[in-house]
């Protein structure tokens, strides 16, 4: 498989991967928002997701776009905005 060179494809892949993380770990995501420790609580899952993303996207594209980091916020945090939390 050829590594992804297109920034938009890289962004879509990052969102898809992190959507899977959210889908398979809804309670961990919820508790992470409630207790303001989302990234620590999902550390293993995020590392695995990041590795999967890195295997499929050219390093320069990943670095320049920040697609994975943006998707972390867009998917895990923003989609959890309905969860009551002292952080917002």
């Amino acid at each position: 498989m050829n590594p992804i060179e297109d920034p938009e494809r890289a962004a879509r892949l990052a969102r898809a991967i992190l959507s899977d993380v959210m889908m398979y770990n809804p309670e961990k995501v919820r508790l992470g928002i409630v207790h303001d420790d989302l990234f620590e609580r999902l550390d293993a899952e995020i590392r695995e997701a990041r590795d999967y993303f890195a295997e499929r996207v050219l390093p320069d594209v990943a670095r320049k776009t920040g697609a994975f980091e943006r998707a972390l916020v867009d998917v895990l945090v923003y989609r959890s905005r309905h969860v009551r939390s002292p952080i917002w």
Side-chain angles (χ1 to χ4, degrees):
M1 179 187 317
N2 292 331
I4 294 172
E5 297 179 29
D6 178 53
E8 185 52 40
R9 281 189 62 212
R12 283 194 308 267
L13 177 63
R15 288 190 304 268
I17 292 167
L18 289 163
S19 291
D20 282 353
V21 170
M22 188 167 190
M23 183 176 65
Y24 288 109
N25 300 283
E27 186 62 10
K28 282 177 111 174
V29 172
R30 188 188 73 74
L31 289 172
I33 295 293
V34 168
H35 297 287
D36 193 19
D37 65 355
L38 178 66
F39 300 115
E40 293 85 6
R41 190 174 295 265
L42 288 171
D43 183 60
E45 292 85 352
I46 291 170
R47 264 191 272 130
E48 182 179 354
R50 188 184 308 274
D51 290 346
Y52 185 82
F53 179 78
E55 289 173 3
R56 283 152 182 78
V57 177
L58 285 176
D60 277 353
V61 173
R63 187 176 54 258
K64 288 178 183 175
T65 64
F68 189 85
E69 291 74 17
R70 186 172 300 120
L72 277 172
V73 174
D74 289 350
V75 174
L76 296 183
V77 178
Y78 186 72
R79 289 185 189 172
S80 299
R81 66 190 180 278
H82 65 280
V83 176
R84 293 186 55 94
S85 172
I87 63 175
W88 42 66

